[in-house]
Amino acid sequence: QLQLVESGGGLVQPGRSLRLACEVPQWIMGLFAVGWFRQVPGKEHEGLACIGTDTGHMVYADSVKGRFFIYKDYSKSTVYLTMEKLKFNDTGVYYCAAQKPPYTLTLAWDEYTSWGQGTQVTVSS
């Protein structure tokens, strides 16, 4: 189901940072886990990070651990993904997605039940 809205993508030089935002309905924000994924043409959605309703519970993919950070702001009903030290192969369409309860903090796209339209991130010099 298309229920989320991503923003913040664009063209960025390697080594720089970018922050993506995902607008999440309040009823989802309080009950669902939310994750960030990216996709390049011809490949599956790659799970990057996810966070539960408890903001202390987070999971990161090895490929982005230490560079990408997920954060949620309940007052703004928004989940953010801060990306640092961007690389050429970070290029792709980035999606946020929500997993209904009872959830597990998985990075598997098929376990998520709501998503957004995606926002393009292009890393180029």
Side-chain angles (χ1 to χ4, degrees):
Q1 299 181 37
L2 185 63
Q3 296 181 288
L4 313 180
V5 181
E6 304 96 336
S7 63
L11 177 64
V12 62
Q13 295 181 334
R16 304 298 292 272
S17 300
L18 198 64
R19 188 180 75 167
L20 307 181
C22 175
E23 299 176 21
V24 182
Q26 289 184 335
W27 68 275
I28 288 180
M29 193 78 167
L31 296 172
F32 287 45
V34 177
W36 281 96
F37 300 77
R38 69 185 173 198
Q39 186 180 40
V40 297
K43 296 186 178 180
E44 299 178 346
H45 293 81
E46 178 188 9
L48 305 175
C50 64
I51 187 169
T53 54
D54 182 340
T55 58
H57 295 165
M58 295 167 283
V59 175
Y60 293 96
D62 289 340
S63 62
V64 303
K65 192 174 299 181
R67 296 192 300 122
F68 289 16
F69 305 91
I70 191 169
Y71 172 80
K72 66 196 311 181
D73 187 335
Y74 278 103
S75 67
K76 296 182 178 180
S77 198
T78 300
V79 178
Y80 299 94
L81 182 71
T82 297
M83 304 181 293
E84 300 179 353
K85 300 178 180 178
L86 284 163
K87 306 174 181 179
F88 291 116
N89 59 4
D90 288 322
T91 294
V93 179
Y94 283 67
Y95 300 88
C96 60
Q99 182 184 167
K100 67 180 181 180
Y103 62 79
T104 58
L105 295 182
T106 177
L107 296 177
W109 174 260
D110 289 345
E111 296 297 321
Y112 287 75
T113 54
S114 301
W115 55 88
Q117 81 290 335
T119 185
Q120 176 72 40
V121 174
T122 302
V123 183
S124 177
S125 60

